[in-house]
Amino acid sequence: MGTTALTADVLVVGFGKGGKTAAHALTDAGQRVILVERSANMYGGTCPNVGCVPTKMLVHYSNSRRLEDDAQEFFANSVAGVRALTSAFRAGNFEALNGKDTATVITGAGSFVDPHTVAVGEGPDRITVTAPTILINTGSEPMLPDIAGLVNSKHRVSSTDLIQKDQLPERLVIIGGGYLGLEFAAIYQHFGTQVTVLESADRLLRREDEDVAQVVADVLAGDGIRLITGASAVDVRDHDTTATVVYEKDGRTLTVEAEAVLAATGRRPVIAGLNLEAAGVRATSHGAIEVDEYLRTSQPHIFALGDVNGGPQFTYVSLDDARIVLDQLLGDGKRNTADRVAVPQTLFITPPLATAGLTEKEARAEGRAITVSRENVADIIAMPRAYTVEETRGVIKFIVDADTDLILGAALLTIDAQEMINLVTLAMRHGITATQLRDSIYTHPSSTEAFNEVFDKVVR
Ligand SMILES: Cc1cc2nc3c(=O)[nH]c(=O)nc-3n(C[C@H](O)[C@H](O)[C@H](O)COP(=O)(O)OP(=O)(O)OC[C@H]3O[C@@H](n4cnc5c(N)ncnc54)[C@H](O)[C@@H]3O)c2cc1C
C-alpha cells in the first residue's frame, strides 16, 4: 500500500478552538473539511484537555477542600473528577466534528510538503491532504528558561504533567509569577501543598497598577503562598525525591527545596515539525507564524489562528480569530484583528482578577485627563454579595476619561470578576459611559451592584 491521497475544500491543521470553530462553520456552509490533529488526547485542543477547563475545575475543587479532608485523597479524587470531564469533552469534540458527513478528523502530526499539501504519517500509512485553503491552528507549548539543571531534572513538571499526577506534591516551587504560575500557586496551595513562587521582577504582575498588584500579592501571601520577588533561579539540583532550586536575590545565593518544580515562564507557538518552508509560510523572529490583520500568512490561501500566530494566548482570542477567517472565507471580509476593542483577561486566583483596557499608569503615560475610582470590596456597601459568600477580599478600580466619561480601563479583583468584566467591556465597546453603568439597575444581591457605588469613590 502506498500513500493515500485525499482532497478537501479546506484543510485544518490542529484541533484548537479557532480551527474547530471554523471547521464547523465551513462544513455547515457545505464545504468538505479535513482536520488533522497530532494527538488522540487533544481533540478540542489545549483548553478542554490541559488548559482552561482542567485548571478551572481544579480551582473549584481546591476551594471546596475542608480542613478535615485528607489532602492526598481529596486531591486524587479531584484529579479523577477532572479526568472524567476532560475525557467527556474530548470525545464530544471528536464526535461533533467527525460525525458530520462533510468532515473528517485524521489523527497524526501534519507537515507541509508543498503550499497546498500536508502529509500525515510515514511509510505505508502516509496520508496526504491537498486543499485550496489551509488553516493552521497548532497552538503553543511551554518554553523552558535557560536554568542549569532544569531541563534534565526528574522533578521538573510542566503544567500538563502537574494536572495529570495523582500524587499531591508536598512542596512545589514555581519559577515565574505570571498568570499561569499564580493560578497554579493558588490551586496547589489550596489543595495543601506548600508553594513557593520565584519571580525575577521586583513585583508581581508588572503590567498592572502597583496598588492592584499589591492586593493580589496580599491575597496570595495571606493564603500561605511564599512569594519571592526579585529572585532569579540559577540552578536546579536533583536529589532522590526532591530538587533544590538555587536562586539569587539582592546579591545573595539562596535555596528552596521541593518535590516538584514548575517552570511557568511562558509558552511559544508550535511551528516545529510543520515544515513551513515547504509551504512558503514565513515565521516571525519570535517563532510565530507571520500574519496580517486578516490572519493571512505570507501565502494568501493559508491562514494561522490562535496561539500559533503570536497573538494574545486566550481561547476566546482563538475563537475571534475564527470569526475573522470565516469572514474572509464566507463573509464580506471586513473583520480584522485591529477592530478588537477592550479584550478582557482573567487571572483565576481566588478571588479572580479580571482586567481590560488601560491601567492608570498607562493612561497617565498617554497624557490623558482621567478620573480614577477605587474601592476595597470589603467597603462596598452596595455589594453585600461579597459578605453572603464570605469572600470580601479584593479591590475594584476604574479608569475613566475625565472629558467624555467613557471607561478607559478596569481592574476587578473580586468574587465574580470573570463575569463582571464582560459587562464592563461591553460598555467600553459600545460607548456606555461610567455614569450609565453606575446608574443601571442590577439584580440583588449581585456583584455588579458594586458599579452603583464604585464610580463615586473617586481617588483624589
Ligand atoms: C494551564 C493553562 C491554563 C489556561 N487557562 C486559560 C483560561 O482560563 N482561559 C483562556 O482563555 N485561556 C487559557 N489558556 C490558554 C488557552 O488554552 C490557549 O490560548 C488556547 O487553548 C489556544 O488555542 P489554539 O486554538 O491556539 O490551539 P490549541 O487549543 O493549543 O490547539 C492546538 C492543537 O494543535 C495540535 N497540533 C500541534 N502541532 C500539530 C501538527 N503538526 N499537526 C497536527 N496537530 C498539531 C495540538 O496537539 C493541539 O491539539 C490556558 C493555557 C494553559 C496551558
Side-chain angles (χ1 to χ4, degrees):
M1 238 174 72
T3 297
T4 306
L6 304 175
T7 58
D9 296 319
V10 180
L11 163 64
V12 182
V13 184
F15 206 146
K17 182 71 173 180
K20 80 171 177 191
T21 305
H24 277 287
L26 290 162
T27 50
D28 291 347
Q31 305 208 9
R32 165 106 196 106
V33 176
I34 294 180
L35 186 147
V36 174
E37 165 53 50
R38 70 177 168 186
S39 166
N41 292 324
M42 289 294 281
Y43 301 136
T46 301
C47 184
N49 290 296
V50 296
C52 339
V53 170
T55 52
K56 269 76 254 183
M57 202 175 187
L58 288 174
V59 170
H60 164 68
Y61 278 132
S62 65
N63 281 333
S64 37
R65 185 174 81 95
R66 299 164 308 173
L67 281 179
E68 62 267 33
D69 289 321
D70 175 73
Q72 188 52 60
E73 192 187 332
F74 187 86
F75 180 71
N77 287 338
S78 301
V79 172
V82 169
R83 271 194 205 124
L85 185 73
T86 52
S87 316
F89 278 11
R90 185 157 55 245
N93 267 291
F94 181 82
E95 282 309 320
L97 190 60
N98 199 56
K100 287 183 161 178
D101 287 345
T102 54
T104 304
V105 176
I106 296 174
T107 307
S111 183
F112 280 96
V113 291
D114 67 46
H116 285 281
T117 308
V118 163
V120 185
E122 285 175 5
D125 296 331
R126 186 170 186 262
I127 298 171
T128 59
V129 185
T130 303
T133 302
I134 300 178
L135 315 185
I136 304 174
N137 182 219
T138 49
S140 62
E141 61 195 355
M143 255 179 333
L144 269 191
D146 187 17
I147 296 170
L150 180 66
V151 176
N152 295 322
S153 169
K154 62 182 180 198
H155 304 296
R156 173 176 63 81
V157 285
S158 66
S159 63
T160 304
D161 302 329
L162 201 52
I163 59 176
Q164 284 166 354
K165 279 185 190 296
D166 295 305
Q167 187 73 24
L168 182 69
E170 204 175 314
R171 290 162 298 176
L172 170 67
V173 171
I174 300 177
I175 301 174
Y179 269 52
L180 201 137
L182 294 184
E183 284 189 8
F184 273 83
I187 290 169
Y188 281 81
Q189 185 74 28
H190 288 151
F191 272 125
T193 296
Q194 171 58 61
V195 177
T196 303
V197 177
L198 300 178
E199 165 56 50
S200 56
D202 57 359
R203 69 169 172 88
L204 291 185
L205 304 176
R206 282 200 57 82
R207 207 233 128 208
E208 306 307 332
D209 285 329
E210 208 162 337
D211 53 348
V212 174
Q214 186 56 52
V215 187
V216 172
D218 292 346
V219 164
L220 295 173
D223 282 346
I225 296 166
R226 243 178 111 202
L227 297 169
I228 309 180
T229 53
S232 299
V234 291
D235 198 1
V236 177
R237 295 177 192 153
D238 265 10
H239 316 292
D240 251 9
T241 55
T242 62
T244 301
V245 180
V246 183
Y247 64 96
E248 287 173 355
K249 180 175 165 66
D250 302 330
R252 292 195 306 152
T253 301
L254 301 158
T255 61
V256 52
E257 190 142 329
E259 282 67 31
V261 180
L262 170 66
T265 47
R267 292 171 64 86
R268 66 161 166 247
V270 175
I271 59 168
L274 278 175
N275 196 19
L276 293 177
E277 304 75 28
V281 169
R282 274 196 305 270
T284 67
S285 56
H286 293 104
I289 294 182
E290 187 183 295
V291 288
D292 64 13
E293 68 269 40
Y294 303 101
L295 303 176
R296 288 186 194 268
T297 68
S298 47
Q299 286 282 18
H301 69 285
I302 303 180
F303 296 82
L305 304 78
D307 290 3
V308 76
N309 68 26
Q313 296 179 346
F314 298 111
T315 298
Y316 45 89
V317 172
S318 184
L319 172 67
D320 197 55
D321 283 0
R323 292 190 190 108
I324 292 170
V325 171
L326 287 168
D327 194 39
Q328 289 288 308
L329 299 177
L330 303 175
D332 60 13
K334 289 195 180 127
R335 273 298 321 275
N336 61 73
T337 51
D339 66 22
R340 288 176 180 150
V341 176
V343 178
Q345 65 183 69
T346 301
L347 167 65
F348 284 88
I349 54 173
T350 306
L353 170 68
T355 57
L358 298 177
T359 61
E360 178 182 353
K361 187 175 55 181
E362 288 166 345
R364 292 202 190 283
E366 287 184 11
R368 292 176 183 249
I370 57 170
T371 306
V372 177
S373 307
R374 182 185 188 284
E375 193 172 16
N376 290 328
V377 170
D379 299 333
I380 305 175
I381 294 163
M383 186 191 169
R385 174 160 162 80
Y387 283 89
T388 63
V389 297
E390 299 177 302
E391 180 53 273
T392 55
R393 297 176 297 175
V395 62
I396 294 182
K397 179 173 181 179
F398 281 101
I399 320 302
V400 177
D401 189 305
D403 300 323
T404 63
D405 198 30
L406 292 172
I407 300 161
L408 299 175
L412 318 176
L413 175 67
T414 171
I415 182 84
D416 301 328
Q418 80 282 7
E419 307 294 343
M420 296 158 76
I421 198 69
N422 294 324
L423 184 64
V424 174
T425 53
L426 195 68
M428 290 170 76
R429 257 171 244 138
H430 297 283
I432 307 288
T433 63
T435 305
Q436 286 169 320
L437 205 59
R438 184 196 67 185
D439 294 344
S440 189
I441 299 173
Y442 301 111
T443 54
H444 173 81
S446 69
S447 295
T448 36
E449 282 182 299
F451 301 160
N452 286 155
E453 179 175 321
V454 174
F455 288 106
D456 288 334
K457 302 291 172 181
V458 175
V459 180
R460 309 263 169 217

